[in-house]
Amino acid sequence: MFGDLSGMMDKLKDAQKKVEETKQRLNNVLIDESSSEGKIKVTVTANREIRAINIDNSLLSDAEELEDYLVLTLNKALKRAGEINEQEMAVAAKSGMPNIPGMDMFK
């Protein structure tokens, strides 16, 4: 009914291995983002982990402005990181999946 079940299990293990390798690789993919005026610069990984934040001294006297800049800039960076992460993980998962009729989830 399902053909070579052992072969499918091996392909699923390979897919899982590729996903794990992709997760590790995405730790090294860095996304840099800056605020519109360049007062905040952030670096995040494609796994959505913050690596660095640089703040212009002019923002240190106004906590509310600093918070606004941080939220906007971090959200932009994390959105880009999420998009890259999703694309890469989909490719990794699809490349190792066995061909099971009716289970084409990655169209």
Side-chain angles (χ1 to χ4, degrees), residues 4-105:
D4 182 14
L5 190 57
S6 174
M8 277 198 284
M9 294 304 290
D10 288 341
K11 285 190 175 206
L12 287 172
K13 287 179 185 175
D14 289 344
Q16 184 177 15
K17 182 179 177 187
K18 286 181 181 184
V19 167
E20 289 303 316
E21 289 170 354
T22 299
K23 284 182 186 177
Q24 292 301 316
R25 184 176 53 79
L26 291 176
N27 280 329
N28 298 313
V29 175
L30 301 178
I31 294 106
D32 295 315
E33 191 65 61
S34 341
S35 64
S36 59
E37 297 174 11
K39 293 184 177 186
I40 299 268
K41 295 177 183 173
V42 299
T43 302
V44 299
T45 70
N47 280 329
R48 296 170 285 237
E49 184 177 295
I50 299 168
R51 287 286 174 94
I53 298 175
N54 295 313
I55 301 169
D56 187 275
N57 287 335
S58 67
L59 293 175
L60 297 178
S61 61
D62 186 345
E64 188 174 322
E65 184 181 23
L66 173 59
E67 290 169 358
D68 290 344
Y69 272 101
L70 273 172
V71 168
L72 291 171
T73 307
L74 283 168
N75 281 335
K76 282 192 329 187
L78 293 173
K79 180 180 180 200
R80 285 183 52 210
E83 291 167 353
I84 291 169
N85 185 288
E86 288 173 17
Q87 290 170 356
E88 293 293 320
M89 295 304 284
V91 168
K94 183 177 181 179
S95 69
M97 291 298 288
N99 185 16
I100 302 172
M103 295 291 291
D104 192 5
M105 299 178 287

